[in-house]
Amino acid sequence: MKQYSSLKDIQSDLGAGLITLPELVSMYLKNIETNNPKLNALIEVYGEEALERAQQIQVKYNSGEAGKLAGMVVSIKDNICFKGHQSSASSSILKGFESLFSATAIERILAEDAIIIGRSNCDEFAMGASNETSTYGPVLNAKNTLKVSGGSSGGAAVSVQANMCLAALGSDTGGSVRQPASFCGLVGYKPTYGAVSRWGLIAYASSFDIIGPITHTVADTTSIMEVISGPDNYDATALNKKVVTGSTESSTKKLKIAYFKEAIDSEGIEPAVKQQTLVFIDKLKQLGHEVKQVSFPYLDVLVPVYYTLTTAEASSNLSRFAGMHYGKRSELAKDLETTVKFSRSEGFGAEVKRRIMTGTFVLSSGYYDAYYSKAQKVRRLVKNYTDSLLEEVDLIVSPTSPTVAFGIGEKATNPLAMYLADIFTVHANIAGNPAISIPFGEDEAGMPIGMQLMASRCNDALLLAFSESITA
Ligand code: GLN
């Protein structure tokens, strides 16, 4: 059966009567049955529910009343709450937890008739870059099953890569949408901080977290963003304006684009990735854009700042998992202290514990000024520098990740090596800017490479229009 990689194609076949929504969902369920047992991208499939919804939406479609996302079959990351369904953030501590309400982003895609087909595997509490910290085990890259999917939204990316659905909703705190998209040859989008409500997203680091789509095409990401972005009374940090509207201007303008000397010269960058980045820069020049090299003195401090601040926020956010209100309670619980102690010791995995301890340490009274306060100040410097640069240029380009998908197990026991994989993606979360990863070629072994473009805050529409114009 025909495989789809864009909503436009699906909607045109629906319109021509070449396919029905129940047939479309059945096709995805068949792909899930074939591919998922090996790849481990989806941890739960809502087969019957999705088929039932497909039938209902088909009726609406036939009478011309279906929403904008009719035909969009979506997987949702296991940290995005969906009423009446389980959400566990791929952690043992939340196994079996069922959400009482849906995330705003979920409400909005459902209101436009998207169909949710299942929930996707991820790193535990979205902490990781390879989907290896999940309590459900790693997700394998469909391009080469000895390689990681990327993370933390690894299941989200592979569900799209292996045609188990058309699009996925993931979350991005330091690259978790963009990096797996880049490892799987897909488009991954991290909106401006606050452009999508965090209501219903299980918190990791609240001043960094955002929900974002993974799709085959930029147009599909734009369609999803048009639906999920916008103000929300349930999230005080949500922007009070919609940054992506239906009238996204087509980008024919010639833009000014910068790239960082330090990024191109950074030592961890693989030769094939560096090579492709230079080819990409050349392509942008040939298209008539003005591309210039600039200096970025903060590259080496991005990862330390990110891990100081996100672990601090995580240590606070994750204190709610105490064996009291939700999730796991240890069998050894006897009183308050043993309930908290044993439930947390048994429920959290090693990486999450490492981050809670690091975060508690950087916030502790003797070290607060040396680490947490200092990192906040550097965050401000990075933000100011980025803002002033983006007054001179429209976009900043870099590779999404210094490497292609690495081997399963290759970095799993070396947290520092794993953290350095985030060097190019954390910048946008530290500064709050929108950033996209678009596929651009592959290495000699055929593994996909992604290019990242970053714009100034709230310039999501420009970033998406430009990305579409160079990928279409
Ligand atoms: N790899 C980064 C981390 O481990 C990013 C995670 C994310 O964006 N959720 O924190």
Side-chain angles (χ1 to χ4, degrees):
M1 196 171 169
K2 177 174 170 186
Q3 300 295 319
Y4 292 93
S5 53
S6 77
L7 183 61
K8 195 168 156 213
D9 200 9
I10 290 177
Q11 289 187 340
S12 115
D13 280 6
L14 273 174
L18 297 174
I19 192 166
T20 64
L21 288 170
E23 283 166 359
L24 181 72
V25 168
S26 303
M27 182 271 284
Y28 284 126
L29 290 173
K30 186 103 205 66
N31 290 348
I32 292 172
E33 212 180 291
T34 319
N35 299 327
N36 198 49
K38 177 157 192 201
L39 300 174
N40 199 24
L42 297 181
I43 51 184
E44 194 181 353
V45 181
Y46 313 135
E48 257 174 50
E49 191 182 327
L51 277 172
E52 215 171 278
R53 241 180 96 72
Q55 268 151 16
Q56 291 159 1
I57 298 168
Q58 184 68 45
V59 173
K60 279 171 88 179
Y61 188 86
N62 295 345
S63 55
E65 285 161 14
K68 284 190 212 133
L69 298 184
M72 183 75 92
V73 180
V74 181
S75 71
I76 57 170
K77 186 173 175 178
D78 190 27
N79 62 353
I80 306 176
C81 293
F82 183 16
K83 187 176 176 179
H85 298 75
Q86 291 184 24
S87 302
S88 73
S90 293
S91 175
S92 303
I93 210 159
L94 271 178
K95 253 189 191 162
F97 167 74
E98 204 175 290
S99 185
L100 298 174
F101 60 89
S102 289
T104 301
I106 298 289
E107 298 269 11
R108 290 184 179 167
I109 60 165
L110 290 177
E112 289 296 342
D113 289 334
I115 296 172
I116 299 177
I117 202 154
R119 69 183 159 117
S120 63
N121 199 346
C122 61
D123 277 299
E124 186 178 2
F125 283 100
M127 297 174 185
S130 63
N131 214 124
E132 291 170 292
T133 71
S134 165
T135 187
Y136 305 105
V139 177
L140 314 188
N141 195 309
K143 216 44 218 286
N144 175 345
T145 53
L146 297 174
K147 305 285 181 184
V148 299
S149 55
S152 64
S153 315
V158 172
S159 69
V160 178
Q161 184 193 30
N163 285 317
M164 301 183 199
C165 50
L166 181 69
L169 285 188
S171 69
D172 193 309
T173 304
S176 276
V177 161
R178 289 160 286 156
Q179 185 253 27
S182 134
F183 282 10
C184 294
L186 300 165
V187 173
Y189 192 60
K190 177 228 160 317
T192 296
Y193 179 75
V196 179
S197 168
R198 286 184 294 111
W199 177 252
L201 171 66
I202 296 176
Y204 158 17
S206 309
S207 76
F208 295 73
D209 295 341
I210 187 128
I211 292 174
I214 297 181
T215 58
H216 292 281
T217 65
V218 179
D220 281 358
T221 282
T222 306
S223 303
I224 294 175
M225 281 302 296
E226 280 167 14
V227 170
I228 65 174
S229 68
D232 183 19
N233 288 339
Y234 289 122
D235 176 3
T237 61
L239 296 172
N240 58 13
K241 61 176 174 184
K242 202 166 167 66
V243 292
V244 186
T245 58
S247 59
T248 304
E249 78 271 24
S250 72
S251 172
T252 46
K253 259 196 338 203
K254 297 300 171 210
L255 300 188
K256 287 189 184 146
I257 303 170
Y259 67 93
F260 298 144
K261 178 179 185 316
E262 294 78 1
I264 295 289
D265 293 343
S266 83
E267 44 177 272
I269 192 168
E270 279 178 355
V273 175
K274 179 171 176 170
Q275 176 59 25
Q276 272 306 102
T277 310
L278 296 173
V279 173
F280 187 66
I281 288 169
D282 244 20
K283 175 182 162 168
L284 295 174
K285 285 182 184 159
Q286 274 162 27
L287 290 170
H289 304 290
E290 189 187 324
V291 191
K292 61 172 183 179
Q293 179 175 286
V294 299
S295 174
F296 182 60
Y298 298 108
L299 190 69
D300 289 341
V301 300
L302 293 179
V303 168
V305 165
Y306 171 81
Y307 279 93
T308 305
L309 296 177
T310 54
T311 55
E313 292 188 25
S315 74
S316 162
N317 274 326
L318 271 59
S319 62
R320 72 191 67 172
F321 304 105
M324 297 288 176
H325 298 292
Y326 350 69
K328 185 182 171 68
R329 174 171 298 176
S330 168
E331 309 262 304
L332 303 171
K334 281 196 204 71
D335 50 21
L336 178 65
E337 194 184 330
T338 52
T339 303
V340 176
K341 190 166 150 186
F342 290 122
S343 302
R344 286 169 73 80
S345 301
E346 293 165 17
F348 289 134
E351 181 59 28
V352 173
K353 285 179 184 159
R354 176 164 27 245
R355 296 198 191 196
I356 292 173
M357 287 191 284
T358 310
T360 307
F361 174 76
V362 301
L363 287 172
S364 61
S365 65
Y367 296 95
Y368 187 95
D369 285 343
Y371 294 103
Y372 182 73
S373 269
K374 195 165 193 175
Q376 288 285 32
K377 288 176 189 158
V378 182
R379 183 180 200 182
R380 170 61 61 184
L381 291 176
V382 170
K383 210 168 177 167
N384 289 349
Y385 191 93
T386 309
D387 285 352
S388 59
L389 179 59
L390 284 167
E391 274 169 21
E392 280 166 42
V393 301
D394 302 292
L395 301 173
I396 298 167
V397 62
S398 72
T400 304
S401 165
T403 68
V404 296
F406 41 89
I408 291 181
E410 196 181 312
K411 297 188 182 173
T413 52
N414 185 348
L416 281 184
M418 191 73 91
Y419 297 171
L420 282 171
D422 304 329
I423 185 160
F424 300 133
T425 46
V426 293
H427 184 178
N429 305 74
I430 290 173
N433 294 48
I436 193 167
S437 176
I438 52 178
F440 191 69
E442 37 194 46
D443 73 355
E444 4 8 280
M447 293 314 286
I449 294 173
M451 288 297 132
Q452 176 176 251
L453 291 162
M454 181 163 105
S456 58
R457 281 189 298 288
C458 298
N459 251 328
D460 298 62
L462 170 86
L463 180 56
L464 288 167
F466 179 78
S467 305
E468 190 170 345
S469 76
I470 59 167
T471 48

